[in-house]
Amino acid sequence: QVQLQESGPGLVKPSETLSLNCTVSDDAIAGDYYWSWIRQPPGKGLEWIASISHSRSTYYNPTLKNRPTISIDTTKNQVSLRLRSVTAADTAIYFCARRSRVPASWFDPWGQGTLVTVSS
Amino acid sequence: QFVLTQPPSVSGAPGQTVTISCTGSSSNTGAGYDVHWYQQVPGTAPKLVIYRNSNRPSGVPDRFSGSKSGTSASLAITGLHTEDEADYYCQSYDSRLSSSVFGGGTKLTVL
């Protein structure tokens, strides 16, 4: 079973850029899947951010207004997320997850998540 | 705020049955897009319990079942166990937003 592990700084200052990595186990990153970022503000619901394939085809949540950038490095088995111009509203647990090629499909499995706090 | 609407909370006693609803619109569930369900125990990552409306992943007890009709979907849990206490989220796809979308979540309390 593929495993995903998120990593990155737990604290980011307002207006700066949030950067996170997701390491995928067992070279599974080259498979026919989309690798996704999803976030959850403390005590609130889930929000899909972006997805990317091994061939670098990308999808983004339009409500985030061009702030996120998702990328993939198959040599490092990593998927990365950069989110520009963060505010306190971006404070959340950030999860990475796998999805099939079909945009309407489900996310499975998920990483354990990493908490990012935006504060000065 | 959330494209898919779920009740904030449901409850039931051990052994009882509960149902959680998920209502969308013509651009998501009503357009024929599948609904998927996740269980999230506080402090952990979401876990898939139903995919493609009514299918159970390997390892999910058959006490969990899903259905979908029109713009609405439901997750039923029969024979409640105390370990079923968690938050449950539905997920689908919205063609107007070109996005995966989630419900706001439902907190299940096992009394």
Side-chain angles (χ1 to χ4, degrees):
Chain A
Q1 169 76 327
V2 63
Q3 294 183 328
L4 297 84
Q5 178 69 58
E6 304 88 346
S7 60
L11 182 64
V12 181
K13 290 182 169 54
S15 80
E16 295 190 346
T17 296
L18 175 162
S19 295
L20 297 172
N21 291 318
C22 172
T23 301
V24 180
S25 68
D26 304 330
D27 295 327
I29 202 166
D32 196 17
Y33 294 101
Y34 274 74
W35 305 94
S36 306
W37 286 97
I38 297 159
R39 70 180 180 179
Q40 183 175 37
K44 297 187 179 180
L46 300 163
E47 179 182 36
W48 170 74
I49 300 171
S51 299
I52 189 168
S53 70
H54 68 88
S55 60
R56 295 174 174 76
S57 175
T58 57
Y59 294 91
Y60 290 98
N61 186 332
T63 65
L64 292 169
K65 296 180 171 53
N66 299 318
R67 291 195 299 131
T69 300
I70 191 171
S71 59
I72 191 168
D73 186 335
T74 55
T75 64
K76 294 182 179 178
N77 291 335
Q78 281 188 341
V79 179
S80 299
L81 176 72
R82 289 171 56 86
L83 184 65
R84 295 182 294 277
S85 305
V86 298
T87 69
D90 295 309
T91 293
I93 300 171
Y94 286 75
F95 297 97
C96 60
R98 185 182 70 177
R99 193 206 78 194
S100 81
R101 295 171 56 245
V102 177
S105 67
W106 57 95
F107 299 99
D108 181 63
W110 296 56
Q112 66 184 28
T114 187
L115 175 63
V116 177
T117 301
V118 178
S119 175
S120 55
Chain B
Q1 178 186 2
F2 291 97
V3 173
L4 305 178
T5 300
Q6 298 180 234
S9 63
V10 297
S11 63
Q16 288 188 334
T17 296
V18 295
T19 301
I20 300 171
S21 62
C22 174
T23 302
S25 66
S26 58
S27 59
N28 43 72
T29 54
Y33 292 107
D34 292 327
V35 175
H36 320 296
W37 291 91
Y38 302 88
Q39 176 194 63
Q40 186 179 32
V41 174
T44 70
K47 171 192 170 187
L48 181 72
V49 292
I50 293 289
Y51 66 96
R52 227 184 278 145
N53 306 317
S54 59
N55 295 276
R56 270 190 327 268
S58 172
V60 173
D62 60 6
R63 303 184 293 103
F64 290 80
S65 63
S67 63
K68 176 177 177 281
S69 178
T71 60
S72 294
S74 294
L75 172 70
I77 310 172
T78 59
L80 274 177
H81 291 189
T82 54
E83 60 262 32
D84 297 333
E85 189 162 285
D87 296 318
Y88 291 84
Y89 294 90
C90 61
Q91 176 235 323
S92 186
Y93 181 81
D94 190 284
S95 58
R96 182 175 59 85
L97 298 172
S98 297
S99 294
S100 295
V101 291
F102 289 91
T106 298
K107 181 176 180 59
L108 168 61
T109 300
V110 181
L111 304 168

